[in-house]
Amino acid sequence: MSPSDISGRLDASYFHHGYLSLDSSLAHFPRQDVVPLDRCLVNPRRVLYQKTTSFAADDAPEGGVPFISGVDLDGSTMTVNWSSVRYVERWMLDRYPKGRLTDGSLLIKVKGPNQHTAFVSKADQTALVSGTVFFSQVRGCNPFYLAGYLSSRHGTAWRSRLRTNTTVEFIGNEELRAVPVLLPDRRIQDYIGAKVELAERCRAVSSRSWLLATELLGAALGAPLTPETFEVKSASNVSGSGYEVTSIRPVVALVSPVRLEGAIGAQFFTPRRAKAIVVIEQSGLDAKRLSALADRFTKRVSADEVQARGLSYVGLAQVDSSTGYVSTATDEQPSSSSACFGARDILFSKLRPYLNKVAICPEHLVEAAGSTELVTYRAKPGVDPYYVFFVLKSPLVLNQVIDITSGSTHPRVDPVLIDDVLVPLAEAPVQRRIGRLARAALELMRRATLLVEDAKADVEALIEGTLDVQAILAGTLKPPTADDIPELAEDDA
């Protein structure tokens, strides 16, 4: 590099050949259409907190406040993944008022890998934004377009270029604010931004559908599916017929012989496992073993066949622990034989069951391959696979399997024990509604992901000159709307 080409940067990584094309990629656009990011921001900030203690949702203090970190920004939908957010004590709201999340906030992850961006049009809950995220309101452009631009391959490459520190990668505020942003005609911004905005709505309705299904199952059981229901605070709140806890520390329980059923190990009678079973028994609902509702099957496919047939591969990392949504974007490839399954088959990870990697194969994947850690089930005729999947994903089943693993380094649960978990059966109409809501929630997540991918591809096409700009300006090329997504239409109804 010649001295004239170096401006304020002496680190070699900034001038890596993979980044040099960024300097010329926007040169063919009018100068007034390329502005520094700072021109699009209002009150940009990154708040630093002193000695912060955060808590998982299950352990959050009373009145706890969500504390959004960079890892909570979902790059696939450009939204906040509220299910993964940790909590801080409420007094922090008063001490750090500038850290409050507000309506119309653009959030940019600046610490660590993965240059994710999210836009929150409406802050439905009070929350604080951690120092791993740079956030701001937006001006002078379509905010959804701006989020899409920063999340595109071009936008993420620019931010990756600015990262410093080899131990914990980080982007400084001033450098981030100087990132060049392409602002085309507002109609083009609106066309691309509409897809990101629709993705946000899909994600919101998906969350509502999942919550409603949870409430319906809780109502059928007569007990909400909240951490409090399954928390063992005393010996009295976990005791049931044939099972009596006399001490919590240490755990001492009296178990009737009729409950042994061939399992005499202490791990089968831990208070939290017993609590889940007692909740099912005291609900008055009929309950069946999983093996009575679905058939476990083992089908394998070789790595060569996966490649030859172009099968999508599902690794454990692609299964969302909160909803079971299966992401198909992965660099993971099978090195040997893989599990083989199809649409609507239920997938239950036997490895580290506390991670709750339970999923259902998406309907758009007629056949797929996956990790052999996934135990596969196919619902019997007349059984709604989405209802069974939803129950298996709930605390009712998680608490039944979490203590019955073997192995300390890589704890696994035996598939035979998974076969034996109890599944409560709500009334048939309730089962159907829960199943429909679970299916809609997963499909809306997929729609949101596709919309975001389309928006990012549009940004790349715009930069490369292949986007049909004239059709957009003429109004003949229009973005999708809620009417194009059946699950959103049902929500409106």
Side-chain angles (χ1 to χ4, degrees), residues 409-450:
T409 306
H410 297 92
R412 290 181 172 84
V413 60
D414 191 314
V416 173
L417 298 179
I418 301 174
D419 292 347
D420 283 341
V421 298
L422 278 178
V423 177
L425 300 177
E427 296 291 334
V430 177
Q431 286 190 46
R432 288 194 293 271
R433 191 174 183 206
I434 290 173
R436 285 197 301 270
L437 287 167
R439 180 187 178 280
L442 296 176
E443 176 60 18
L444 285 167
M445 282 294 296
R446 186 179 80 89
R447 293 275 190 168
T449 301
L450 293 176

Side-chain angles (χ1 to χ4, degrees), residues 315-322 324 347-359 373-375 389 393 398:
L316 298 187
Q318 293 163 255
V319 178
D320 180 77
S321 293
S322 300
L347 316 175
F348 196 116
S349 175
K350 62 185 177 183
L351 176 65
R352 298 188 178 94
Y354 57 84
L355 295 177
N356 206 14
K357 298 285 186 174
V358 180
E373 299 290 357
L374 294 170
V375 182
F389 150 73
K393 189 74 181 168
L398 174 63

